Amino acid sequence: MIQVAHSWNAKLYNDKHAFVYDYGKSLIELLAPKSNERILDLGCGSGELTFDISGLAKTVVGLDKSPEMIAKAKYNFPSINFEVGDAANFKVEEKFDAIFSNAALHWVVQYKAAIANMYRALRTGGRIVVEFGGKNNIQTISDALRESLSKRGYEKQAKTTLWYFPSIGEYASKLEAAGFEVVFAQSYDRPTELVDSHTGIVDWIMMFGSSFFDGVNNEDIAEISKEVQDKVKPELYRDGKWYADYKRIRVVARKK
Ligand code: BEZ
């Protein structure tokens, strides 16, 4: 598979994909920040959850790989410390009590580096509280997309590796191998309603899967994304609404 990076449209993300941070609010409950804690929000996107955490903790830093997202976060929440940085490749000067990450770690295909960096960035006894896409996440959409690309001869694009979706067993053992103690792990299906009732899947593909279209002409992009939407309709369209077939894992682990 070829590995590619994704670039973000911060406005489209906020207009049509606000569910990403709405769902993250319950993860903050699991984090249960304390008023004396220093917390890192890893993959903070446009900063909404970082802002929520800032009202509960002593310090919060938001880190995201996308300069567009960080620019938006800084603009929206000027009192918070946001920085551009990559989960697979970040260093901190002062250790954190906790690392929070919502809907971000599946973008880090160098997951071992991300785990090692999280470990290094925590004080002993510190915790990670993370949620991201688990095994078979958005499988219906990605299978259909790969099939439509392949059918038109876009074999290289059909083999794109953009995401890391482990089972909880797999992820927990990687964390343990890195020195963490896993204290909570859950996997669950979370079918997620998409905003647009007409073009829900097409919008989702354009927002999150555009890297599959590197080297694909515009006419084919339009045709493929519509074809994928039609193909997945029996599974992902119910009562006039589109749903993405999200499967999540949620893990809390401590640095021993
Ligand atoms: C997710 O939140 O599971 C996800 C979002 C975009 C692309 C892939 C997965």
Side-chain angles (χ1 to χ4, degrees):
M1 293 240 173
I2 52 162
Q3 216 174 289
V4 295
H6 180 80
S7 67
W8 290 91
N9 176 336
K11 178 159 181 356
L12 181 63
Y13 179 84
N14 279 62
D15 287 352
K16 292 206 171 178
H17 303 279
F19 60 79
V20 175
Y21 46 81
D22 284 345
Y23 278 114
K25 288 183 192 288
S26 72
L27 193 65
I28 296 182
E29 285 168 27
L30 190 62
L31 173 69
K34 295 189 192 71
S35 56
N36 62 349
E37 283 188 322
R38 174 174 159 78
I39 292 176
L40 175 66
D41 182 0
L42 188 58
C44 63
S46 44
E48 280 73 14
L49 295 174
T50 327
F51 176 72
D52 289 350
I53 294 168
S54 72
L56 302 166
K58 183 174 177 208
T59 324
V60 62
V61 177
L63 196 79
D64 201 281
K65 191 178 175 181
S66 158
E68 292 81 9
M69 287 294 186
I70 288 296
K72 188 151 180 68
K74 283 184 170 169
Y75 177 81
N76 286 340
F77 308 108
S79 64
I80 296 180
N81 182 3
F82 289 105
E83 290 167 26
V84 176
D86 185 345
N89 179 26
F90 73 97
K91 290 191 178 60
V92 298
E93 278 166 21
E94 198 184 334
K95 301 220 185 235
F96 290 89
D97 297 299
I99 298 177
F100 172 90
S101 183
N102 177 56
L105 290 176
H106 47 246
W107 290 102
V108 189
V109 288
Q110 291 151 288
Y111 59 88
K112 280 190 188 159
I115 290 172
N117 288 333
M118 290 193 289
Y119 190 84
R120 265 195 299 271
L122 283 173
R123 66 162 170 83
T124 302
R127 65 199 184 281
I128 61 165
V129 179
V130 301
E131 173 168 329
F132 60 103
K135 194 170 169 62
N136 298 329
N137 193 37
I138 52 127
Q139 188 87 29
T140 313
I141 302 173
S142 62
D143 281 356
L145 182 54
R146 291 184 201 284
E147 188 185 278
S148 290
L149 284 162
S150 179
K151 192 174 89 180
R152 287 172 180 77
Y154 294 114
E155 294 299 344
K156 191 171 71 128
Q157 292 83 348
K159 293 189 171 72
T160 297
T161 300
L162 192 53
W163 304 303
Y164 169 60
F165 297 140
S167 67
I168 39 172
E170 204 179 319
Y171 198 61
S173 58
K174 302 281 185 249
L175 289 173
E176 283 173 0
F180 281 101
E181 179 192 8
V182 176
V183 295
F184 173 89
Q186 180 188 26
S187 68
Y188 65 101
D189 290 356
R190 201 203 64 203
T192 299
E193 186 187 331
L194 303 176
V195 170
D196 196 300
S197 58
H198 300 289
T199 56
I201 299 294
V202 170
D203 288 351
W204 189 95
I205 293 171
M206 298 321 293
M207 177 72 215
F208 296 118
S210 57
S211 300
F212 280 87
F213 294 132
D214 286 351
V216 178
N217 67 59
N218 286 342
E219 210 175 299
D220 280 353
I221 291 174
E223 199 178 286
I224 290 168
S225 48
K226 180 68 174 58
E227 181 177 283
V228 170
Q229 178 165 286
D230 292 342
K231 233 185 307 186
V232 302
K233 192 167 184 178
E235 285 185 66
L236 302 182
Y237 190 74
R238 294 186 286 282
D239 303 324
K241 290 172 182 162
W242 286 104
Y243 293 84
D245 54 334
Y246 281 21
K247 296 183 191 308
R248 320 309 285 169
I249 65 171
R250 221 172 227 216
V251 178
V252 180
R254 286 191 191 283
K255 175 169 175 169
K256 287 193 280 184

